[in-house]
Amino acid sequence: MTANTAPVLLDLAPLDAAHFARIEDKVAALMRTRESVVAMQGEALLPLEACIRSAVRPGSTALNIITGPYGETFGGWLRSCGAEVITVAAPFSGAAGPEQVAEALRAHPEIDFVSLVHAEAATGNTNPVAEIGAVVREHGALLMLDAVASVAAEPLLTDEWGVDLCVIGGQKAMAGPAGVSAVSVSARAWERIAANEQAPRRSYLSLLDWKERWIDGGREVLPHAPAQLEMLALEQAVDRIEAAGLDAVILRHRAAAAATRAGARVLGALSPYVTRDADAAPAATTLRAPGGVDAREIVAAALAAGPAVPVQAAGGALAKEMIRVNHYGLAADRAVVLDSLSALGAALRALDIEAGGTDEALDAAAVAWDAVTGS
């Protein structure tokens, strides 16, 4: 912090309740919902855990749809709430299908809660929420959706899709802060939460506290001091999307994914980890390293060639085989995508890995970008 930036960061007028409520309303519009939206003062894992602990009671049965590491995390939280957990898993190289969900619901009619990740930035896949939501709605269960990596990167129609609990964060496609997040809560989700004696109360995880102390009071008195800088940054992120046009922002993300996948296919040595284009998330593209080569070595060589490119190795068990190109937010940009492919091409050459030509890969990426944007 310098002397010039300190007044900007520290001498702000307090964020009052009316301004806080306006920011929530802007977020609700972005999420395409008329339901209650609560801006929670922490990273998106906070409202995700709060949703599960608020809506899931001991003895209930939950369906957890796993297409990546966040789905695996939800299963642990569900079990710790005392729920029986039914799992539908899809390969991380693809997506879950509504027919899989329908089959699980038919086999377990007692299921009353379904958890789903819209897009998994960690694995680069995205799930067909509209179709899955229709199946869940017909069954009558609550649907919780993690839309952190999808909001502003692809359509998110919370109410139309029948999502009861929808969580977003600002740090990916919104190009905003990581320290604040938001959750929309449907009327029937509030009913379920209020009836759950195990729902957190007087807790940072409590949605009921927000409802009773904030929403039910007309959003006139904040229940605690807000994370002011993060809330203002969230507002600026939403305003920037509105100014650019949500459709245009989504189109940039689609173009970035298409271009990255097209360029990787020409490089050849790096194949898209998510097999079908329809299952590929617009926020990030994952690539499979060649057999016998550690993905982390390729990433290190790519960053040596282009230190600023948004390329990283996957985490956990996937670290040796998966590379991520994070083209979300401001990185959903033609130049950034081309720089990333150039760096990956240079990395393959530096490691003596046989691959297609970088110039040809860049040409293919440019053609794919233009095909999406109509440029």
Side-chain angles (χ1 to χ4, degrees):
M1 184 181 298
T2 68
N4 290 332
T5 60
V8 174
L9 296 177
L10 301 179
D11 295 342
L12 294 170
L15 183 68
D16 61 22
H19 193 173
F20 193 100
R22 286 198 302 274
I23 296 171
E24 288 183 333
D25 291 343
K26 290 180 179 182
V27 171
L30 178 65
M31 298 172 68
R32 299 295 188 259
T33 181
R34 295 182 179 275
E35 302 284 5
S36 305
V37 167
V38 176
M40 298 193 74
Q41 311 298 279
E43 200 270 337
L45 284 174
L46 170 66
L48 286 167
E49 184 174 0
C51 287
I52 287 175
R53 298 202 180 280
S54 296
V56 178
R57 64 189 187 281
S60 61
T61 302
L63 175 64
N64 186 38
I65 302 167
I66 299 179
T67 56
Y70 283 102
E72 293 174 337
T73 298
F74 298 162
W77 288 338
L78 290 163
R79 292 182 183 90
S80 71
C81 290
E84 179 185 356
V85 180
I86 309 300
T87 299
V88 166
F92 290 0
S93 58
E99 62 283 347
Q100 294 174 276
V101 177
E103 182 179 350
L105 294 172
R106 285 193 298 269
H108 300 276
E110 69 276 18
I111 289 172
D112 58 10
F113 185 91
V114 177
S115 51
L116 173 67
V117 178
H118 189 178
E120 289 264 12
T123 46
N125 54 19
T126 191
N127 289 301
V129 181
E131 293 82 355
I132 292 174
V135 171
V136 174
R137 186 163 59 249
E138 182 178 358
H139 180 81
L142 290 185
L143 175 60
M144 183 193 86
L145 184 68
D146 172 351
V148 175
S150 60
V151 62
E154 54 189 300
L156 173 62
L157 306 177
T158 303
D159 290 354
E160 183 177 323
W161 293 345
V163 179
D164 295 288
L165 296 156
C166 186
V167 174
I168 69 163
Q171 70 269 32
K172 289 190 167 61
M174 292 177 65
V180 67
S181 48
V183 53
S184 67
V185 186
S186 71
R188 69 187 197 124
W190 281 127
E191 292 178 4
R192 177 79 63 84
I193 293 168
N196 181 11
E197 295 181 355
Q198 300 300 314
R201 301 298 299 267
R202 297 172 181 84
S203 164
Y204 211 55
L205 290 170
S206 178
L207 294 177
L208 281 175
D209 288 355
W210 276 101
K211 184 176 188 302
E212 294 174 358
R213 299 176 60 191
W214 172 241
I215 296 172
D216 290 351
R219 300 191 300 175
E220 294 182 353
V221 179
L222 285 164
H224 55 69
Q228 178 162 335
L229 294 177
E230 288 80 0
M231 287 296 295
L232 293 174
L234 178 65
E235 181 178 35
Q236 289 189 14
V238 177
D239 287 347
R240 183 166 53 193
I241 292 168
E242 182 179 7
L246 178 58
D247 289 344
V249 174
I250 289 173
L251 195 66
R252 276 197 299 108
H253 284 83
R254 286 181 52 212
T260 304
R261 290 171 66 83
R265 287 189 172 114
V266 172
L267 285 176
L270 301 175
S271 57
Y273 197 92
V274 177
T275 308
R276 297 194 322 139
D277 289 345
D279 297 334
T285 295
T286 50
L287 304 172
R288 190 183 298 275
V293 181
D294 192 320
R296 292 168 292 190
E297 294 181 8
I298 299 175
V299 169
L303 292 176
V309 297
V311 174
Q312 68 179 86
L318 296 172
K320 290 185 178 181
E321 64 181 86
M322 181 187 287
I323 298 166
R324 278 175 57 182
V325 182
N326 296 315
H327 42 67
Y328 52 70
L330 300 184
D333 176 86
R334 183 186 182 116
V336 172
V337 169
L338 296 179
D339 287 346
S340 299
L341 290 167
S342 292
L344 288 168
L348 296 173
R349 290 194 301 273
L351 296 172
D352 292 324
I353 298 171
E354 185 177 351
T358 300
D359 289 343
E360 291 79 4
L362 297 180
D363 288 343
V367 169
W369 183 287
D370 292 343
V372 171
T373 62
S375 300

PDB file of all heavy atoms in Angstrom, residues 221-236:
ATOM      1  N   VAL A 221     -31.356  -2.687   8.261  1.00  0.00           N
ATOM      2  CA  VAL A 221     -30.261  -2.668   9.239  1.00  0.00           C
ATOM      3  C   VAL A 221     -29.368  -3.869   8.982  1.00  0.00           C
ATOM      4  O   VAL A 221     -29.829  -5.017   9.044  1.00  0.00           O
ATOM      5  CB  VAL A 221     -30.792  -2.716  10.691  1.00  0.00           C
ATOM      6  CG1 VAL A 221     -29.618  -2.714  11.678  1.00  0.00           C
ATOM      7  CG2 VAL A 221     -31.723  -1.534  10.969  1.00  0.00           C
ATOM      8  N   LEU A 222     -28.105  -3.619   8.691  1.00  0.00           N
ATOM      9  CA  LEU A 222     -27.175  -4.721   8.451  1.00  0.00           C
ATOM     10  C   LEU A 222     -26.903  -5.476   9.743  1.00  0.00           C
ATOM     11  O   LEU A 222     -26.764  -4.861  10.813  1.00  0.00           O
ATOM     12  CB  LEU A 222     -25.855  -4.181   7.892  1.00  0.00           C
ATOM     13  CG  LEU A 222     -25.896  -3.759   6.426  1.00  0.00           C
ATOM     14  CD1 LEU A 222     -24.703  -2.893   6.082  1.00  0.00           C
ATOM     15  CD2 LEU A 222     -25.933  -4.996   5.538  1.00  0.00           C
ATOM     16  N   PRO A 223     -26.829  -6.812   9.677  1.00  0.00           N
ATOM     17  CA  PRO A 223     -26.607  -7.589  10.894  1.00  0.00           C
ATOM     18  C   PRO A 223     -25.195  -7.467  11.437  1.00  0.00           C
ATOM     19  O   PRO A 223     -24.954  -7.784  12.597  1.00  0.00           O
ATOM     20  CB  PRO A 223     -26.912  -9.028  10.461  1.00  0.00           C
ATOM     21  CG  PRO A 223     -26.716  -9.042   8.988  1.00  0.00           C
ATOM     22  CD  PRO A 223     -27.085  -7.681   8.506  1.00  0.00           C
ATOM     23  N   HIS A 224     -24.253  -7.053  10.614  1.00  0.00           N
ATOM     24  CA  HIS A 224     -22.882  -6.837  11.090  1.00  0.00           C
ATOM     25  C   HIS A 224     -22.165  -5.944  10.089  1.00  0.00           C
ATOM     26  O   HIS A 224     -22.687  -5.646   9.010  1.00  0.00           O
ATOM     27  CB  HIS A 224     -22.138  -8.160  11.275  1.00  0.00           C
ATOM     28  CG  HIS A 224     -22.101  -9.031  10.061  1.00  0.00           C
ATOM     29  ND1 HIS A 224     -21.387  -8.721   8.924  1.00  0.00           N
ATOM     30  CD2 HIS A 224     -22.717 -10.217   9.788  1.00  0.00           C
ATOM     31  CE1 HIS A 224     -21.533  -9.663   8.026  1.00  0.00           C
ATOM     32  NE2 HIS A 224     -22.352 -10.580   8.502  1.00  0.00           N
ATOM     33  N   ALA A 225     -20.969  -5.510  10.451  1.00  0.00           N
ATOM     34  CA  ALA A 225     -20.207  -4.637   9.553  1.00  0.00           C
ATOM     35  C   ALA A 225     -19.851  -5.394   8.282  1.00  0.00           C
ATOM     36  O   ALA A 225     -19.298  -6.495   8.342  1.00  0.00           O
ATOM     37  CB  ALA A 225     -18.942  -4.155  10.261  1.00  0.00           C
ATOM     38  N   PRO A 226     -20.173  -4.831   7.125  1.00  0.00           N
ATOM     39  CA  PRO A 226     -19.912  -5.533   5.873  1.00  0.00           C
ATOM     40  C   PRO A 226     -18.441  -5.465   5.466  1.00  0.00           C
ATOM     41  O   PRO A 226     -17.695  -4.588   5.918  1.00  0.00           O
ATOM     42  CB  PRO A 226     -20.777  -4.775   4.866  1.00  0.00           C
ATOM     43  CG  PRO A 226     -20.818  -3.376   5.407  1.00  0.00           C
ATOM     44  CD  PRO A 226     -20.836  -3.531   6.907  1.00  0.00           C
ATOM     45  N   ALA A 227     -18.048  -6.394   4.609  1.00  0.00           N
ATOM     46  CA  ALA A 227     -16.720  -6.347   3.993  1.00  0.00           C
ATOM     47  C   ALA A 227     -16.783  -5.289   2.897  1.00  0.00           C
ATOM     48  O   ALA A 227     -17.081  -5.583   1.736  1.00  0.00           O
ATOM     49  CB  ALA A 227     -16.356  -7.720   3.435  1.00  0.00           C
ATOM     50  N   GLN A 228     -16.496  -4.060   3.271  1.00  0.00           N
ATOM     51  CA  GLN A 228     -16.815  -2.923   2.415  1.00  0.00           C
ATOM     52  C   GLN A 228     -16.075  -2.943   1.085  1.00  0.00           C
ATOM     53  O   GLN A 228     -16.680  -2.781   0.020  1.00  0.00           O
ATOM     54  CB  GLN A 228     -16.493  -1.629   3.167  1.00  0.00           C
ATOM     55  CG  GLN A 228     -16.744  -0.379   2.336  1.00  0.00           C
ATOM     56  CD  GLN A 228     -16.838   0.865   3.172  1.00  0.00           C
ATOM     57  OE1 GLN A 228     -17.171   0.789   4.341  1.00  0.00           O
ATOM     58  NE2 GLN A 228     -16.558   2.013   2.593  1.00  0.00           N
ATOM     59  N   LEU A 229     -14.772  -3.138   1.112  1.00  0.00           N
ATOM     60  CA  LEU A 229     -14.016  -3.097  -0.136  1.00  0.00           C
ATOM     61  C   LEU A 229     -14.455  -4.208  -1.080  1.00  0.00           C
ATOM     62  O   LEU A 229     -14.582  -3.994  -2.292  1.00  0.00           O
ATOM     63  CB  LEU A 229     -12.518  -3.204   0.156  1.00  0.00           C
ATOM     64  CG  LEU A 229     -11.901  -2.033   0.917  1.00  0.00           C
ATOM     65  CD1 LEU A 229     -10.430  -2.312   1.194  1.00  0.00           C
ATOM     66  CD2 LEU A 229     -12.060  -0.731   0.149  1.00  0.00           C
ATOM     67  N   GLU A 230     -14.681  -5.398  -0.528  1.00  0.00           N
ATOM     68  CA  GLU A 230     -15.104  -6.517  -1.360  1.00  0.00           C
ATOM     69  C   GLU A 230     -16.487  -6.269  -1.957  1.00  0.00           C
ATOM     70  O   GLU A 230     -16.740  -6.597  -3.120  1.00  0.00           O
ATOM     71  CB  GLU A 230     -15.097  -7.812  -0.557  1.00  0.00           C
ATOM     72  CG  GLU A 230     -13.722  -8.353  -0.236  1.00  0.00           C
ATOM     73  CD  GLU A 230     -13.070  -7.665   0.947  1.00  0.00           C
ATOM     74  OE1 GLU A 230     -13.687  -6.744   1.542  1.00  0.00           O
ATOM     75  OE2 GLU A 230     -11.935  -8.047   1.296  1.00  0.00           O
ATOM     76  N   MET A 231     -17.389  -5.696  -1.173  1.00  0.00           N
ATOM     77  CA  MET A 231     -18.729  -5.416  -1.691  1.00  0.00           C
ATOM     78  C   MET A 231     -18.682  -4.370  -2.798  1.00  0.00           C
ATOM     79  O   MET A 231     -19.370  -4.497  -3.827  1.00  0.00           O
ATOM     80  CB  MET A 231     -19.641  -4.945  -0.559  1.00  0.00           C
ATOM     81  CG  MET A 231     -20.072  -6.041   0.402  1.00  0.00           C
ATOM     82  SD  MET A 231     -21.101  -7.310  -0.391  1.00  0.00           S
ATOM     83  CE  MET A 231     -22.563  -6.365  -0.814  1.00  0.00           C
ATOM     84  N   LEU A 232     -17.868  -3.342  -2.622  1.00  0.00           N
ATOM     85  CA  LEU A 232     -17.740  -2.328  -3.663  1.00  0.00           C
ATOM     86  C   LEU A 232     -17.115  -2.911  -4.925  1.00  0.00           C
ATOM     87  O   LEU A 232     -17.501  -2.570  -6.050  1.00  0.00           O
ATOM     88  CB  LEU A 232     -16.912  -1.154  -3.147  1.00  0.00           C
ATOM     89  CG  LEU A 232     -17.556  -0.326  -2.029  1.00  0.00           C
ATOM     90  CD1 LEU A 232     -16.576   0.718  -1.513  1.00  0.00           C
ATOM     91  CD2 LEU A 232     -18.848   0.329  -2.493  1.00  0.00           C
ATOM     92  N   ALA A 233     -16.137  -3.805  -4.741  1.00  0.00           N
ATOM     93  CA  ALA A 233     -15.526  -4.467  -5.899  1.00  0.00           C
ATOM     94  C   ALA A 233     -16.532  -5.360  -6.612  1.00  0.00           C
ATOM     95  O   ALA A 233     -16.554  -5.432  -7.848  1.00  0.00           O
ATOM     96  CB  ALA A 233     -14.312  -5.275  -5.456  1.00  0.00           C
ATOM     97  N   LEU A 234     -17.379  -6.046  -5.836  1.00  0.00           N
ATOM     98  CA  LEU A 234     -18.423  -6.874  -6.440  1.00  0.00           C
ATOM     99  C   LEU A 234     -19.376  -6.012  -7.258  1.00  0.00           C
ATOM    100  O   LEU A 234     -19.756  -6.366  -8.382  1.00  0.00           O
ATOM    101  CB  LEU A 234     -19.188  -7.629  -5.353  1.00  0.00           C
ATOM    102  CG  LEU A 234     -20.341  -8.501  -5.828  1.00  0.00           C
ATOM    103  CD1 LEU A 234     -19.836  -9.655  -6.694  1.00  0.00           C
ATOM    104  CD2 LEU A 234     -21.130  -9.061  -4.628  1.00  0.00           C
ATOM    105  N   GLU A 235     -19.749  -4.871  -6.716  1.00  0.00           N
ATOM    106  CA  GLU A 235     -20.645  -3.974  -7.450  1.00  0.00           C
ATOM    107  C   GLU A 235     -19.997  -3.508  -8.748  1.00  0.00           C
ATOM    108  O   GLU A 235     -20.645  -3.474  -9.811  1.00  0.00           O
ATOM    109  CB  GLU A 235     -21.013  -2.775  -6.587  1.00  0.00           C
ATOM    110  CG  GLU A 235     -21.967  -1.817  -7.281  1.00  0.00           C
ATOM    111  CD  GLU A 235     -22.371  -0.645  -6.410  1.00  0.00           C
ATOM    112  OE1 GLU A 235     -21.537  -0.167  -5.612  1.00  0.00           O
ATOM    113  OE2 GLU A 235     -23.520  -0.200  -6.530  1.00  0.00           O
ATOM    114  N   GLN A 236     -18.721  -3.143  -8.696  1.00  0.00           N
ATOM    115  CA  GLN A 236     -18.045  -2.691  -9.904  1.00  0.00           C
ATOM    116  C   GLN A 236     -17.973  -3.804 -10.948  1.00  0.00           C
ATOM    117  O   GLN A 236     -18.106  -3.559 -12.151  1.00  0.00           O
ATOM    118  CB  GLN A 236     -16.644  -2.186  -9.562  1.00  0.00           C
ATOM    119  CG  GLN A 236     -16.653  -0.867  -8.801  1.00  0.00           C
ATOM    120  CD  GLN A 236     -15.270  -0.272  -8.660  1.00  0.00           C
ATOM    121  OE1 GLN A 236     -14.335  -0.681  -9.335  1.00  0.00           O
ATOM    122  NE2 GLN A 236     -15.136   0.703  -7.778  1.00  0.00           N
TER     123      GLN A 236
END
